[in-house]
């Protein structure tokens, strides 16, 4: 496997893959301290009232959306927000919004706003595909479940940087910054992407950072008629929720942040944390594979124990390295399996242990010289459809938002060498593939708008942070950090594998989250659900 050049940013995105495992028939309770039943939140004080005194803001906070049917039970609308929150009297942007009304209107609590992650994933599509995969029946009976497409995403003036053929080439291109020529090729690739984004989005490109999305969320809360925000954010959606708590602590209702990002993490912190998390998850897969818990495992050479696990990891590393030397055929002469596509295919399957048998089968094919299985996993991750189109602008929005949310890390050689060494120690199998080549934010045409820093949210109601010990994309340490930062943070731990926990793999987690959202019962200190 080739060494990384300039260690810049994680190439793996904190995305939420669709796929829900069956829950147990019983409902175990989390271990830990006694649960706390919270009092009903009091009214918001007049001094913390809507910013309607400013006519430019009243235009947004006082709008009355027109809901129209857009499915069997779903309704859709648009809600306007300022393009530039510093100039609210200027141009407006229409956000796409959809909701599934509460199943029991007589017992309705309010609206539950949701975001599935990304950055760049569509909340409208998440709610529209299957609301039962978003929130439990108990929650859906009591809340309108409301999804929205953040600015620049999906149906909310999406940032479109490359056409489908260009995006294919961009994702497959194997560039290394280890040599001057390779670094220039990487920079040229980045400039092409950034120029396409700027040409398409114009002024909006500098206004799609998470702080603006958090302010949009407050307009949505007001328009939906709720004094306080009730919110479920997964993966990147937790950063939206944390930034909301920073900006509007007095308006925090019941917030659930599942698979948390650490708002204080820098770009280098994210790179290191994700590399460590993905390596940990790859090792967990290898352990299950050689241990017989994954059918028809192609790895390990018949060895068991730690020797077999290390042999399996070496085989994966060797396979990815060979894909870099000579791409594997896939059955499509126009789309061989390059190293970036192979790495994406492996990473995609680490997000949920339910995909581990698929990964084993794809690796078996690849070891026999057929890259089609890993290419299919990479395409599922990126939303590429069989006709060559992409189901959303997720990948483009991911980069555009990330470049605004994280100032570029230090570029001096000493800092780069230090980070590279840390990455190689934390993730010996994957570090050279997950970082080192993405220099896009170095040439981004607009400056960052967010400074990573802790979120305390003094005066906010308790926020429930859910962390999974084996999360590959948002490591458990980030959930611990966010819960510690918040003045009223409470951590719920899921001791298991995979990205996020609610409605994915633990009936215990589901019951704890439902109890908080529906009854205001906060899990006790140190609450843990076993995998």
């Amino acid at each position: 496997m080739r060494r990384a050049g300039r260690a810049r940013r994680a190439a793996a995105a904190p995305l939420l893959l669709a796929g829900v495992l069956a829950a147990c028939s019983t409902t175990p309770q989390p271990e830990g301290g006694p649960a706390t039943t919270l009092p009903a939140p009091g009214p918001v004080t007049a001094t913390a009232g809507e910013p309607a005194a400013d006519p430019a803001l009243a235009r947004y906070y006082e709008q009355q959306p027109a809901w129209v049917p857009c499915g069997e039970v779903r309704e859709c609308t648009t809600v306007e927000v300022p393009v530039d929150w510093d100039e609210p009297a200027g141009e407006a942007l229409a956000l796409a919004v959809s909701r599934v009304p509460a199943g029991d209107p007589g017992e309705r609590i309010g609206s539950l706003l949701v975001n599935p992650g990304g950055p760049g994933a569509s909340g409208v599509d998440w709610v529209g595909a299957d609301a039962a995969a978003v929130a439990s029946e108990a929650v859906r009976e009591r809340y309108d479940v409301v999804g929205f497409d953040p600015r620049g995403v999906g149906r909310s003036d999406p940032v479109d940087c490359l056409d489908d053929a260009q995006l294919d080439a961009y994702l497959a291109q194997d560039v290394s910054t280890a040599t001057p020529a390779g670094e220039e090729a990487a920079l040229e690739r980045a400039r092409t992407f950034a120029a396409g984004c700027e040409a398409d989005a114009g002024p909006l490109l500098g206004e799609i950072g998470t702080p603006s999305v958090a302010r949009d969320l407050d307009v949505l809360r007001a328009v939906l008629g709720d004094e306080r925000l009730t919110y479920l954010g997964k993966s990147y959606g937790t950063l939206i929720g944390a930034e909301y708590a920073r900006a509007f602590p007095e308006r925090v209702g019941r917030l659930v942040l599942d698979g948390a990002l650490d708002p204080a993490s820098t770009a280098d912190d994210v790179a290191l944390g994700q590399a460590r998390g993905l390596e940990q998850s790859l090792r967990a897969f290898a352990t299950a594979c050689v241990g017989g818990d994954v059918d028809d495992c192609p790895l390990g050479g018949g060895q068991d124990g730690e020797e077999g696990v290390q042999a399996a990891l070496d085989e994966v590393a060797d396979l990815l390295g060979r894909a870099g030397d000579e791409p594997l055929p896939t059955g499509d002469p126009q789309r061989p399996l390059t190293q970036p596509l192979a790495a994406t295919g492996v990473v995609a399957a680490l997000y949920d242990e339910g995909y581990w048998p698929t990964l084993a089968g794809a690796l078996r094919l690849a070891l026999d010289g057929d890259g089609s299985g890993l290419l299919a996993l990479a395409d599922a991750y990126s939303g590429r459809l069989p006709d060559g189109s992409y189901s959303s602008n997720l990948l483009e929005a991911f980069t555009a938002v990330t470049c605004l949310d994280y100032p570029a890390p230090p570029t001096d050689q000493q800092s780069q060498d230090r980070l590279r060494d840390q990455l190689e120690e934390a993730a010996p199998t994957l570090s050279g593939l997950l970082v080192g080549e993405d220099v896009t934010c170095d040439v981004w045409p607009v400056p960052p708008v967010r400074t990573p820093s802790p979120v305390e949210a003094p005066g906010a109601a308790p926020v429930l942070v859910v962390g999974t010990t084996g999360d590959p994309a948002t490591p458990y340490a980030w959930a611990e950090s966010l819960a510690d930062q918040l003045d009223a943070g409470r951590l719920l731990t899921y001791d298991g594998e995979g990205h996020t926990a609610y409605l994915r793999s633990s009936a215990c987690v589901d019951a704890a989250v439902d109890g908080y959202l529906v009854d205001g019962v906060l899990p006790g200190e140190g609450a843990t659900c076993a995998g």
Side-chain angles (χ1 to χ4, degrees), residues 160-245:
D160 186 9
C161 309
L162 303 173
D163 64 31
D164 293 337
Q166 289 173 322
L167 190 53
D168 277 351
Y170 179 83
L171 296 175
Q173 186 176 359
D174 194 356
V175 294
S176 171
T177 58
T179 66
E183 182 166 346
E184 182 52 40
L187 287 169
E188 183 57 33
R189 172 177 178 266
R191 292 186 192 105
T192 299
F193 183 91
C197 297
E198 186 176 29
D200 176 76
L204 180 62
L205 191 64
E207 305 295 339
I208 60 176
T210 302
S212 291
V213 178
R215 296 193 69 173
D216 295 344
L217 196 57
D218 197 53
V219 171
L220 292 172
R221 172 204 58 76
V223 167
L224 292 168
D226 294 334
E227 273 202 326
R228 297 175 186 268
L229 176 70
T230 304
Y231 174 77
L232 168 65
K234 294 213 166 196
S235 195
Y236 162 75
T238 65
L239 186 61
I240 298 174
E243 291 296 337
Y244 182 89

Side-chain angles (χ1 to χ4, degrees), residues 74 76 78 93-97 122-126 149-150 152-158 391 393:
R74 192 167 59 119
C76 293
T78 58
L93 167 68
L95 300 180
V97 184
S122 166
V124 169
D125 288 347
W126 195 33
D149 287 355
V153 172
R155 298 166 182 81
S156 298
D157 202 352
S391 59
N393 74 319

Side-chain angles (χ1 to χ4, degrees), residues 269-286:
D269 295 333
V270 171
L272 183 59
Q274 285 199 319
R276 183 180 290 116
L278 288 163
E279 184 82 15
Q280 175 182 320
S281 292
L282 180 61
R283 176 170 284 275
F285 161 73

Side-chain angles (χ1 to χ4, degrees), residues 30 60 125 141 179 207 218 261 268 381 387 390 464 475 504:
Y60 299 106
D125 288 347
E141 284 291 294
T179 66
E207 305 295 339
D218 197 53
L261 276 78
D268 282 355
Y381 185 86
D387 65 2
Y390 285 80
L464 181 59
R504 196 189 63 80

Side-chain angles (χ1 to χ4, degrees), residues 110-139:
S111 296
L112 172 66
L113 276 150
V114 300
N115 180 274
S122 166
V124 169
D125 288 347
W126 195 33
V127 171
D130 182 8
V134 178
S136 71
E137 182 177 3
V139 171

Side-chain angles (χ1 to χ4, degrees), residues 232-260:
L232 168 65
K234 294 213 166 196
S235 195
Y236 162 75
T238 65
L239 186 61
I240 298 174
E243 291 296 337
Y244 182 89
R246 186 199 303 274
F248 305 101
E250 76 283 356
R251 297 205 171 278
V252 168
R254 295 172 185 172
L255 266 59
V256 178
L257 307 181
D258 182 13

